[in-house]
């Protein structure tokens, strides 16, 4: 094969192999990235071992191939460990971890291989260029070290270890960069296998860029594109694999005639320039394609449905002969920054669908219901695309969306297209509008703010420092709590209003995410320190309003001395979050700070609720019971309302009257005795109740596990989470 064709094929293979990462949604990128790194590093390791076995007789003369093999094996082991933490345990890795040990060992062997190779060069040319590369690399390293130091808290052991481990990688990368470029620029003077070396050295540069990607993220807030680092590192393994394939195919002792063919063109300096130029050009084309794909995924107006799997739907067959099948849609945060409630809510909706159809069958009704699910991805843009897809399928009643930001994004479309929304979690008072098509089975946040303020005053808080996500939900809840707290005589500091990210990265346990959160937590620590100095630690509290990003926030908050010495308070979006209790660091901090989170109370002596909770926990869909129960009741209300409405109107959709349907839905809601208790709706269609529980994280002395613990006005109960 001509080398030009080889490199074209290699670039195509790298691009094709990474399409799974490039075109996946934000949550799936993390999963696919881990798998691709494991698979590609396994391929590179296997090929390297195979090459050594073929050349075992020459190993005594040249052991550099052994160093490469050992380095690749350590890379593979490190990826296995990282994948185990991220995919299996879903917990933060220790600092340093076994994966760090494997990675640093891999760097050591690869650097030693390059040093030996450098010493064996007959002549080192392009010295001026090498000096420029060395100086440039040194300046970039100094910048990275300064940036990392400015973002890292090193006042305690964990923070210091995180800093030392974090800066070790750019130092090792800088050494790799200088050595790799030096050898690459001098390949034309060597009468040896250039193709494998070009692949290996370009691959090493790819991993250097991939490892340094966090600097770009910090500077540009391009946080959801951390997967690009995985693409580059994945390309590194495939480049080395390509070089090994060439070596095994054309340069092995058992195929010397091919080696002679290779030497024929290795000595041609012009060829080397063409190869390098072609490879660099190919990498640029690949990078442009990658960025184009990024923009397509993140910013297209109508989503990327053609590139994704179809939305979840219940494919169980319905006996539709002579049956009146009614469609009920659901927009659920299966992925994104509130995905912790997604799986249990989906399980609850399928339970409701099954039981509603059994109910209709038992009363000899011809009505049946079919659930059509779609993923909000906790994103306003994606949710608007989701409701349009549901509308195109004939859905006119939607359970959800969950978050107020998402509800706001789809609300106008629902009103304009005669679609009714029945949300089980949206609470922003800004959305409380009489006469619209939005109904909510939870009270709005004016009530939560009042309950929260009373709780903090009763706990002796004189000053609170808010730390909240700057969206329609966070801003409205913070305003409501601040207003009530100040009316009760408390003082509210200016606090930190952080910009929420819709993607998964803000909630991930990636170390770069911890570094990103340091910027906000440092500011919070300074404000809390001043308040503590004036009022004392027992009178100061931190009030946080977050989604699933609360877990890395709590983990990283332990690095700041004052943040762990005051009480913390949270919101209904945090209570029962099982990610907190799965991670020991966040659990300890939450327990230490008596982290109290309000949540609308659904608990009663209902036998049906007990059975529902048992079935949900047995299905292993997380620990949260409140929002799944509310979604379950929402589906029942939607089904009964559709059934009653169809009995009172013509089946022709053109004659439908959405006002009449909303009136029927209100009547059904207030007459329905669900597993969450009786339902009273106000003029805006929101549930009216001031019945809230407060949830804490405590340690079970018997199991030694951290669990969510509920405190109500008259009793306390323990709700065990899934670990």
């Amino acid at each position: 094969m001509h080398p030009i064709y080889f490199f074209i094929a290699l670039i195509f293979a790298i691009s094709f192999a990474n399409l799974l990462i490039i075109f996946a949604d934000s949550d799936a990128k993390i999963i696919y990235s881990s798998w691709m790194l494991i698979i590609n590093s396994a391929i590179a390791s296997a090929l390297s071992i195979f090459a050594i076995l073929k050349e075992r007789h020459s190993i005594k003369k040249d052991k550099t191939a052994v160093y490469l093999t050992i380095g690749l094996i350590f890379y593979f082991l490190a990826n296995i460990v990282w994948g185990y933490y991220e995919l299996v345990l879903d917990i933060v890795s220790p600092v340093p971890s076994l994966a760090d040990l494997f990675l640093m060992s891999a760097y050591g062997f690869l650097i030693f291989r390059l040093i030996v190779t450098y010493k064996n060069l007959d002549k080192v040319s392009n010295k001026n260029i090498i000096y420029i590369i060395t100086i440039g690399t040194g300046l970039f390293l100094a910048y990275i070290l300064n940036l990392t130091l400015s973002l890292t808290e090193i006042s305690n052991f964990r923070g210091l270890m995180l800093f030392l481990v974090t800066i070790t990688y750019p130092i090792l990368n800088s050494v790799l960069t200088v050595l790799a470029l030096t050898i690459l620029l001098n390949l034309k003077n060597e009468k040896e296998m250039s193709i494998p070396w070009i692949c290996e050295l370009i691959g090493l540069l790819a991993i250097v860029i991939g490892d340094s990607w966090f600097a770009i993220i910090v500077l540009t807030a391009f946080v959801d594109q951390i997967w690009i680092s995985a693409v580059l590192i994945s390309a590194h393994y495939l480049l080395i694999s390509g070089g090994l394939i060439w070596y095994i195919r054309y340069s092995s002792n058992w195929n010397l005639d091919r080696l002679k063919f290779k030497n024929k063109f290795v000595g041609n300096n012009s060829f080397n320039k063409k190869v390098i130029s072609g490879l660099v050009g190919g990498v640029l084309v690949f990078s442009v394609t990658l960025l184009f794909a990024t923009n397509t995924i993140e910013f297209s107006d109508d989503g990327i449905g053609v590139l994704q799997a179809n939305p979840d739907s219940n494919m169980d067959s319905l006996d539709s002969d002579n049956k009146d099948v009614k469609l009920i849609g659901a927009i659920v945060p299966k992925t994104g920054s509130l995905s912790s409630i997604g799986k249990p809510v989906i399980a609850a909706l399928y339970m409701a669908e099954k039981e509603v159809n059994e109910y209709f069958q038992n009363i000899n009704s011809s009505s049946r219901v079919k659930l059509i699910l779609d993923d909000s991805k906790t994103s306003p843009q994606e949710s608007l695309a989701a409701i349009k897809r549901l509308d195109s399928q004939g859905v006119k009643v939607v359970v959800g969306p969950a978050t107020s930001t998402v509800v706001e994004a789809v609300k106008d479309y629902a009103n304009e297209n005669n679609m009714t929304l029945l949300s089980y979690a949206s609470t922003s008072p800004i959305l409380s509008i009489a006469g619209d098509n939005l109904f909510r089975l939870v009270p709005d946040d004016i009530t939560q703010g009042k309950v929260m303020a009373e709780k903090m005053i009763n706990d002796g808080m004189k000053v609170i420092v808010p730390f909240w996500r700057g969206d329609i939900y966070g801003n409205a809840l913070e305003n409501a709590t601040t207003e009530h707290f100040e009316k009760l005589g408390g003082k509210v500091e200016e606090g930190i209003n952080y910009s929420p990210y819709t993607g998964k990265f803000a909630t991930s346990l990636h170390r770069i995410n911890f570094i990103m959160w340091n910027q906000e937590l440092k500011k919070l620590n300074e404000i809390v320190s001043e308040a503590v100095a004036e009022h004392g630690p027992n009178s100061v509290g931190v009030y946080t309003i977050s989604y699933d990003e609360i877990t890395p926030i709590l983990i990283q908050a332990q690095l700041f001395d004052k943040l762990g010495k005051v009480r913390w308070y949270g919101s209904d979006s945090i209570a029962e979050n099982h990610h907190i209790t799965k991670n020991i660091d966040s659990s300890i901090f939450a327990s230490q700070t008596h982290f109290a989170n309000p949540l609308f109370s659904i608990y009663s002596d209902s036998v049906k609720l007990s059975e529902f909770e048992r079935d949900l926990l047995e299905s292993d869909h997380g620990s949260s019971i409140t929002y799944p129960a509310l979604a379950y009741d929402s589906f029942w209300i939607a089904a009964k309302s559709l059934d009653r409405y169809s009995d009172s109107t013509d089946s022709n959709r053109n004659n439908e009257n959405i006002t009449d349907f909303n009136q029927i839905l209100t009547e059904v809601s207030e007459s329905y005795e669900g597993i969450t208790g009786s339902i009273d709706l106000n003029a805006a269609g929101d549930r009216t109740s001031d019945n809230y529980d407060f949830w804490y994280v405590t340690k079970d002395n018997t199991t030694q596990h951290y669990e969510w613990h509920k405190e109500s006005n008259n009793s306390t109960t323990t709700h065990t989470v899934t670990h």
Side-chain angles (χ1 to χ4, degrees):
M1 174 185 286
H2 194 283
I4 294 295
Y5 298 145
F6 168 77
F7 283 117
I8 292 174
L10 183 57
I11 292 171
F12 176 80
I14 292 172
S15 303
F16 183 79
N18 285 307
L19 285 180
L20 194 63
I21 300 175
I22 295 172
F23 291 120
D25 60 47
S26 59
D27 280 21
K29 285 183 191 298
I30 297 175
I31 298 173
Y32 293 151
S33 295
S34 294
W35 276 112
M36 291 303 295
L37 292 178
I38 292 171
I39 293 170
N40 292 343
S41 60
I43 293 172
S45 300
L47 287 171
S48 186
I49 293 172
F50 182 74
I52 282 183
L53 292 176
K54 289 294 183 182
E55 299 293 331
R56 58 186 178 274
H57 299 297
S58 62
I59 290 178
K60 292 182 180 180
K61 297 180 181 179
D62 183 7
K63 291 185 171 59
T64 55
V66 177
Y67 304 146
L68 173 64
T69 302
I70 296 174
L72 290 174
I73 291 173
F74 276 129
Y75 272 134
F76 171 64
L77 294 175
N79 289 326
I80 289 287
V81 175
W82 285 126
Y84 181 68
Y85 280 119
E86 290 186 356
L87 303 181
V88 179
L89 299 180
D90 190 26
I91 62 174
V92 62
S93 63
V95 182
S97 68
L98 185 60
D100 292 310
L101 176 62
F102 287 144
L103 278 177
M104 292 178 187
S105 299
Y107 273 107
F109 280 99
L110 293 176
I111 289 173
F112 186 67
R113 167 180 165 82
L114 294 184
I115 291 174
V116 172
T117 303
Y118 173 78
K119 290 181 177 179
N120 290 331
L121 291 175
D122 291 338
K123 180 182 178 182
V124 177
S125 59
N126 301 310
K127 290 186 178 180
N128 291 335
I129 297 178
I130 294 172
Y131 291 150
I132 294 174
I133 291 172
T134 303
I135 294 172
T137 303
L139 292 174
F140 181 72
L141 175 61
Y143 171 75
I144 291 292
L145 296 181
N146 181 67
L147 179 65
T148 306
L149 182 61
S150 67
L151 297 174
T152 307
E153 176 63 35
I154 58 174
S155 61
N156 56 45
F157 179 77
R158 185 181 182 276
L160 180 61
M161 286 296 99
L162 182 60
F163 172 72
L164 292 176
V165 170
T166 302
I167 66 171
T168 298
Y169 292 111
I171 292 173
L172 295 173
N173 285 328
S174 298
V175 177
L176 271 182
T177 300
V178 174
L179 288 171
L181 288 176
T182 299
I183 296 171
L184 186 61
L185 290 171
N186 287 277
L187 275 180
K188 63 182 181 180
N189 298 320
E190 302 301 314
K191 306 296 183 181
E192 57 184 46
M193 282 76 70
S194 296
I195 304 302
W197 267 110
I198 290 174
C199 291
E200 178 180 345
L201 296 173
I202 295 295
L204 291 176
L205 294 178
I207 201 171
V208 167
I209 298 172
D211 274 351
S212 303
W213 189 256
F214 88 95
I216 300 174
I217 289 175
V218 172
L219 291 174
T220 63
F222 207 37
V223 294
D224 282 338
Q225 310 314 321
I226 185 65
W227 59 271
I228 294 179
S229 174
V231 169
L232 291 167
I233 297 173
S234 174
H236 150 255
Y237 295 126
L238 293 176
L239 280 164
I240 291 181
S241 297
L244 288 167
I245 290 173
W246 179 278
Y247 177 78
I248 293 169
R249 179 68 179 89
Y250 295 114
S251 307
S252 298
N253 290 334
W254 47 275
N255 201 356
L256 291 177
D257 58 323
R258 295 290 187 178
L259 179 61
K260 292 178 182 178
F261 169 72
K262 175 163 184 319
N263 284 336
K264 184 176 181 180
F265 59 75
V266 166
N268 189 339
N269 290 343
S270 63
F271 165 73
N272 288 282
K273 293 179 180 178
K274 290 180 180 179
V275 169
I276 294 174
S277 300
L279 188 61
V280 171
V283 171
L284 290 175
V285 171
F286 174 69
S287 300
V288 171
T289 303
L290 186 148
L291 290 174
F292 174 77
T294 301
N295 291 335
T296 301
I297 291 173
E298 298 297 332
F299 303 115
S300 61
D301 293 334
D302 56 354
I304 53 168
V306 295
L307 301 176
Q308 296 175 304
N310 290 330
D312 294 312
S313 63
N314 183 8
M315 300 305 295
D316 294 337
S317 59
L318 290 171
D319 181 12
S320 58
D321 293 342
N322 300 319
K323 303 298 182 185
D324 179 16
V325 179
K326 299 171 175 59
L327 302 179
I328 299 178
I331 300 178
V332 180
K334 186 177 179 181
T335 57
S337 56
L338 196 61
S339 59
S340 59
I341 72 170
K343 289 183 178 180
V345 164
I346 291 172
L349 289 171
Y350 279 133
M351 289 169 57
E353 179 193 34
K354 178 176 178 293
E355 293 174 14
V356 166
N357 282 324
E358 290 175 350
Y359 164 77
F360 284 141
Q361 184 177 5
N362 291 337
I363 64 173
N364 296 319
S365 171
S366 62
S367 295
R368 296 293 186 271
V369 292
K370 180 178 177 62
L371 171 65
I372 302 179
L373 277 170
D374 213 320
D375 184 9
S376 74
K377 301 182 182 180
T378 328
S379 162
Q381 295 82 7
E382 294 293 344
S383 298
L384 182 58
I387 197 171
K388 289 179 180 179
R389 287 192 292 268
L390 292 176
D391 185 26
S392 68
Q393 297 179 70
V395 171
K396 287 301 174 183
V397 181
V398 177
V399 175
T403 71
S404 296
T405 303
V406 167
V407 170
E408 182 186 38
V410 304
K411 189 169 175 289
D412 287 344
Y413 183 89
N415 289 336
E416 293 168 2
N417 292 274
N418 290 336
M419 300 178 74
T420 298
L421 306 176
L422 192 53
S423 179
Y424 48 87
S426 167
T427 54
S428 175
I430 296 175
L431 301 176
S432 297
I433 302 173
D436 62 5
N437 292 356
L438 172 64
F439 296 83
R440 302 189 288 186
L441 291 197
V442 284
D444 68 39
D445 282 334
I446 292 178
T447 303
Q448 183 183 168
K450 177 177 179 293
V451 171
M452 189 77 253
E454 292 172 350
K455 166 67 175 174
M456 292 187 287
I457 289 293
N458 292 337
D459 286 344
M461 297 298 105
K462 297 179 180 178
V463 178
I464 59 170
V465 183
F467 184 75
W468 76 101
R469 54 186 293 123
D471 57 16
I472 186 175
Y473 162 68
N475 291 335
L477 179 54
E478 192 274 337
N479 288 336
T481 305
T482 293
E483 180 181 349
H484 287 291
F485 188 75
E486 289 178 339
K487 283 182 179 179
L488 295 173
K491 177 183 178 182
V492 180
E493 298 289 352
E494 183 177 353
I496 304 295
N497 182 357
Y498 66 85
S499 299
Y501 300 110
T502 59
K504 185 68 173 175
F505 179 72
T507 72
S508 76
L509 302 178
H510 196 291
R511 286 177 184 169
I512 295 178
N513 193 28
F514 292 134
I515 294 175
M516 295 290 290
W517 280 114
N518 270 352
Q519 301 177 76
E520 309 293 353
L521 290 172
K522 274 188 176 182
K523 300 175 187 176
L524 179 65
N525 188 60
E526 293 173 358
I527 300 173
V528 170
S529 297
E530 294 176 1
V532 167
E534 182 177 353
H535 302 279
N538 294 330
S539 300
V540 177
V542 172
Y543 176 46
T544 182
I545 304 170
S546 305
Y547 288 163
D548 289 355
E549 68 268 18
I550 188 60
T551 302
I553 288 173
L554 295 180
I555 292 173
Q556 202 64 0
Q558 64 183 313
L559 300 184
F560 300 89
D561 181 56
K562 295 302 181 183
L563 297 185
K565 293 184 177 179
V566 298
R567 293 197 62 164
W568 279 54
Y569 298 88
S571 57
D572 58 345
S573 55
I574 297 173
E576 292 189 286
N577 188 308
H578 66 279
H579 291 302
I580 294 177
T581 50
K582 283 178 67 175
N583 285 273
I584 186 66
D585 292 318
S586 56
S587 296
I588 291 174
F589 187 84
S591 177
Q592 169 190 332
T593 57
H594 306 286
F595 192 28
N597 295 272
L599 188 60
F600 173 66
S601 179
I602 65 168
Y603 287 86
S604 65
D605 297 329
S606 168
V607 175
K608 177 60 178 176
L609 178 60
S610 299
E611 293 175 350
F612 172 83
E613 180 176 8
R614 181 199 63 213
D615 293 342
L616 193 66
L617 294 178
E618 286 178 355
S619 65
D620 193 28
H621 286 293
S623 62
S624 175
I625 192 69
T626 301
Y627 294 120
L630 290 165
Y632 175 92
D633 277 354
S634 299
F635 189 92
W636 268 95
I637 291 170
K640 285 194 167 187
S641 300
L642 283 171
D643 183 54
R644 184 184 297 185
Y645 182 65
S646 65
D647 290 340
S648 61
T649 62
D650 187 271
S651 60
N652 188 336
R653 284 168 56 92
N654 293 328
N655 293 330
E656 291 178 354
N657 189 318
I658 193 65
T659 303
D660 291 345
F661 176 78
N662 288 345
Q663 180 60 40
I664 289 174
L665 188 144
T666 302
E667 295 171 358
V668 169
S669 299
E670 296 184 343
S671 63
Y672 171 75
E673 187 66 29
I675 61 175
T676 62
S678 59
I679 300 171
D680 293 318
L681 301 178
N682 61 21
D686 298 337
R687 196 170 193 159
T688 57
S689 174
D690 59 358
N691 189 14
Y692 281 79
D693 298 318
F694 283 92
W695 291 81
Y696 302 83
V697 174
T698 59
K699 187 175 184 179
D700 188 297
N701 293 327
T702 302
T703 64
Q704 298 300 304
H705 290 162
Y706 283 91
E707 302 170 348
W708 280 104
H709 176 84
K710 174 175 72 82
E711 280 190 8
S712 57
N713 293 332
N714 301 316
S715 62
T716 62
T717 60
T718 298
H719 184 62
T720 305
V721 305
T722 304
H723 298 281

